[in-house]
Every structure is written in C-alpha cells, then in structure tokens.
C-alpha cells in the first residue's frame, strides 16, 4: 500500500532538475542575530504587539538596506506581479509584510487569536472534508501566513492538521521564535524518511488534514516546469503524486496579510483524486499542478507583497 506513494516522491521523472539547482533558496544564509530575535520575542510577548510592530519598521528597514541580493530578486518578482517597475516603497512593503507575518507567528502559536481580525473565504470546503472523515491534503505556499490555518481549526472542533516538511530546511528564525506551549505545537511529519509516507497515510485515515508547502523544489525530487507570472518556473510534483497515490482531495490555502491586524484566509478546491484511475494519473497530476500554479499566481497578483521567495525563482524553469 505504501510503495506507490514512496515511488511517486523519490523516483526522478521527466522535469527533474540537477540536485543542487533546486536548493538555491536553501543555500542563502538567513540574516538575524539570535540575541536580537530573542529580545524581539520578549518585547512582543511581554510589552505588546503595538510596540513590537513599531520596532519592526526599523528591523525591516535594516534588512531592506543590507540584503542586496534578496532585494534584487524581490524587485524582479514585483515587476512581474505588479506589471510595472516597483518603487522603493513597494519593495520595502514586501519586506515589512514578511516581517509582520513572522512577528504574528509568535501570537498565533500561542493562541492569541483575539489580536487579529480574520476573514475566511471557502471555509465550507474544510467543513465538507472534515465531515467526510477521510482526510485531505492542504497545499499552501510561501504566500502570507500558513499559521493562519490554526485560526480555522479554532472555529472547527475536531479539525487537526499535520505538517509534512523537510525539517532540515526549516527556518532558523522560526526555530528561535519557537512554537509556543507543547500542547499547541503542530504535529510535524519529517519528509525524506522511509516512514514519512506511512505517517501521512495514517494521519489521513484518522481524518486529519496534511499540510504542505508546494512552491519550492528540493534536491532531485521530481519537478514540473509551469508558466508562472509570464515565464516557466519549477514546481515540485511530489505533493500531488502523493495525493494521487493515496486518492485524496487537495485544497489550496493561503493566509494573506492585509495590513494592521487583518488577515484573509482563502481556501480553494484544487484537485480530487478519490476516483482516479491508474491510466489517468499522470494527466491528472499535471492538471492539478497547473491549477495550483494558477491559484498561486492569482494570489500573487491580488496580494503581491505576500510572496516570500527571495531568490531567483525562475532560474531553472526553462531548463526542462
């Protein structure tokens, strides 16, 4: 029962890129002092969000000035998303949005939902999947705050999300900020291990959602080249192949930051592999990836400052 998902994730297929090219984003060192991050967390949790946000403007300005490589790549992205040459204000706004979602992660992981004004679109999709009791995949991206998923869980008793991720590439900043009390820490399924697919299958059979971010490639994992914001870019096909092999529905999710304390959480139907036949798998997987990219592009154009991939995202898209 597990062989198909394992093969779907680990066997290189057409569209796979050389091992090192998919990890350009991981090779970039994260900026930020552990001491300063600890102090920032102290201010945020002990002295309040308004004061922490005031300091955040200075922090964002520092990184805007002293991270020229990321700034160049962000400019190239914003040019595509905005359809014009981005101003310095546009570029700073993207950095600040990124910093704001990291700060707010501190509060979300500690259950401080009262601090936020949260609107939700497509919540009925989650309710329907929860009622069916067969589990589903929840695919997000580095677009806004995936932690906003916890706000939906608070409104839906019995909704549990396990996060499947490559823990070796987890953000050092996120690790330093912590996940809050142990009882609120999310269930993590480390990918790249023999038992990973077993755990994913078990979670789904328990009626849980399995959340994954599907907009960055890893090592020699299978990837597909899809037009994104006007030019081919690589997207991992592993998440869709796993969903297809386990015959589960897939829902797109984004928690978009819209200034102040407002977030807009979006759920969209992405694919349903429950009735998939073996001969139609490849076509269905490709169609689902294209649908994912279309939804991601819609999010980037509608909320362009929420995109947080600060590297050359399109570098290898035309190589396959």
């Amino acid at each position: 029962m597990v062989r198909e998902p394992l093969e779907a994730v680990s066997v290189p297929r057409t569209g796979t890129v050389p091992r090192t090219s998919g990890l350009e984003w991981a090779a970039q060192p994260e900026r930020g002092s552990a001491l300063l991050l600890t102090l920032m967390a102290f201010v945020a949790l002990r002295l309040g969000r308004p004061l922490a946000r005031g300091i955040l403007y200075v922090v964002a300005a520092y990184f805007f000035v002293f991270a020229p490589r990321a700034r160049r790549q962000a400019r190239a992205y914003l040019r595509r998303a905005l359809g014009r040459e981005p101003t310095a204000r546009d570029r700073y706004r993207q950095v600040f949005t990124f910093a704001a979602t990291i700060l707010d992660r501190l509060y979300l992981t500690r259950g401080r939902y009262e601090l936020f004004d949260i609107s939700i679109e497509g919540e009925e999709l989650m309710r329907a999947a929860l009622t069916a009791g067969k589990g589903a995949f929840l695919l997000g991206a580095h677009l806004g705050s995936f932690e906003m998923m916890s706000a939906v869980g608070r409104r839906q008793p019995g909704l549990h999300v396990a996060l499947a991720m490559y823990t070796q590439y987890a953000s050092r900043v996120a690790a330093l900020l912590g996940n809050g009390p142990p009882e609120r820490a999310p269930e993590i399924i480390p990918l790249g291990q023999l038992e990973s697919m077993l755990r994913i299958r078990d979670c789904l059979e328990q009626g849980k959602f399995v959340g994954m971010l599907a907009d960055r490639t890893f090592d020699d994992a299978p990837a597909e080249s899809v037009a994104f914001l006007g030019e081919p870019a690589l997207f991992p096909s592993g998440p869709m192949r796993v969903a297809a092999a386990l015959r589960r529905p897939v829902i797109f999710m984004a928690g978009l930051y819209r200034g102040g304390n407002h977030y807009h959480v979006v759920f969209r139907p992405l694919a349903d592999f429950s009735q998939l036949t073996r001969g139609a798998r490849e076509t269905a997987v490709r169609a689902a990836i294209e649908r994912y990219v279309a939804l991601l592009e819609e999010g980037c154009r509608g909320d362009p400052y929420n995109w947080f991939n600060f590297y050359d995202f399109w570098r290898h898209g035309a190589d396959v």
Side-chain angles (χ1 to χ4, degrees):
M1 295 177 62
V2 184
R3 184 178 178 182
E4 289 181 353
L6 281 171
E7 290 180 347
V9 173
S10 61
V11 177
R13 311 180 68 93
T14 301
T16 300
V17 296
R19 175 174 293 273
T20 57
S21 62
L23 285 175
E24 180 184 352
W25 61 269
Q28 297 186 22
E30 288 191 71
R31 293 174 175 267
S33 158
L35 176 60
L36 289 178
L37 286 169
T38 301
L39 289 174
M40 189 66 182
F42 174 84
V43 170
L45 296 174
R46 298 300 179 87
L47 303 180
R49 187 170 180 268
L51 178 58
R53 279 179 59 85
I55 299 173
L56 204 62
Y57 284 98
V58 179
V59 173
Y62 171 84
F63 287 108
F64 178 75
V65 172
F66 293 103
R69 182 177 179 182
R71 191 168 65 244
R72 286 194 302 271
Q73 303 305 337
R75 184 172 191 168
Y77 154 72
L78 285 171
R79 189 181 296 120
R80 298 173 187 274
L82 296 171
R84 58 173 172 80
E85 187 64 30
T87 64
R89 182 176 182 179
D90 290 321
R91 290 179 282 129
Y92 173 79
R93 183 175 174 182
Q94 185 190 17
V95 174
F96 181 82
T97 300
F98 177 49
T101 61
I102 292 177
L103 172 65
D104 290 343
R105 183 181 186 275
L106 274 172
Y107 302 109
L108 292 169
T109 55
R110 289 158 177 80
R112 299 291 306 277
Y113 305 113
E114 77 281 359
L115 296 175
F116 303 101
D117 174 20
I118 303 170
S119 56
I120 303 176
E121 176 185 346
E123 190 174 5
E124 65 278 3
L125 292 172
M126 303 297 290
R127 286 198 296 267
L130 185 62
T131 300
K134 297 181 179 180
F137 284 88
L138 194 63
L139 255 59
H142 293 83
L143 180 72
S145 171
F146 197 75
E147 282 78 14
M148 272 294 156
M149 178 63 226
S150 61
V152 181
R154 180 175 60 100
R155 293 160 56 104
Q156 299 291 335
L159 191 156
H160 300 285
V161 180
L163 301 179
M165 59 189 294
Y166 289 92
T167 54
Q168 65 269 38
Y169 302 126
S171 168
R172 182 174 65 87
V173 173
L176 286 168
L177 294 179
N179 287 311
E183 64 272 14
R184 292 189 179 275
E187 179 180 357
I188 302 295
I189 301 175
L191 293 177
Q193 303 178 8
L194 289 177
E195 66 271 19
S196 300
M197 298 305 109
L198 283 172
R199 289 191 59 187
I200 289 176
R201 186 199 62 184
D202 290 345
C203 284
L204 292 168
E205 290 183 350
Q206 294 166 19
K208 297 180 181 179
F209 291 83
V210 175
M212 305 175 75
L213 301 180
D215 60 336
R216 287 183 182 177
T217 54
F218 294 87
D219 292 343
D220 61 349
E224 297 279 344
S225 179
V226 182
F228 174 59
L229 294 175
E231 189 172 330
L234 285 176
F235 290 87
S237 59
M240 291 300 181
R241 294 187 184 282
V242 173
L246 295 177
R247 299 178 182 274
R248 289 307 201 280
V250 185
I251 298 170
F252 176 86
M253 180 267 179
L256 302 167
Y257 176 67
R258 292 187 169 171
N261 69 338
H262 184 206
Y263 282 85
H264 183 62
V265 181
V266 175
F267 296 102
R268 298 283 179 82
L270 210 167
D272 187 353
F273 296 114
S274 59
Q275 303 300 319
L276 185 65
T277 60
R278 181 180 294 272
R281 178 175 298 177
E282 289 301 314
T283 300
V285 166
R286 174 68 188 190
I289 295 172
E290 291 177 348
R291 165 75 173 163
Y292 171 84
V293 174
L295 291 171
L296 180 59
E297 181 171 311
E298 179 183 320
C300 287
R301 292 195 185 280
D303 293 86
Y305 308 108
N306 276 259
W307 174 251
F308 305 140
N309 280 319
F310 297 99
Y311 66 99
D312 188 355
F313 194 81
W314 289 266
R315 181 177 178 183
H316 298 282
D319 294 347
V320 298

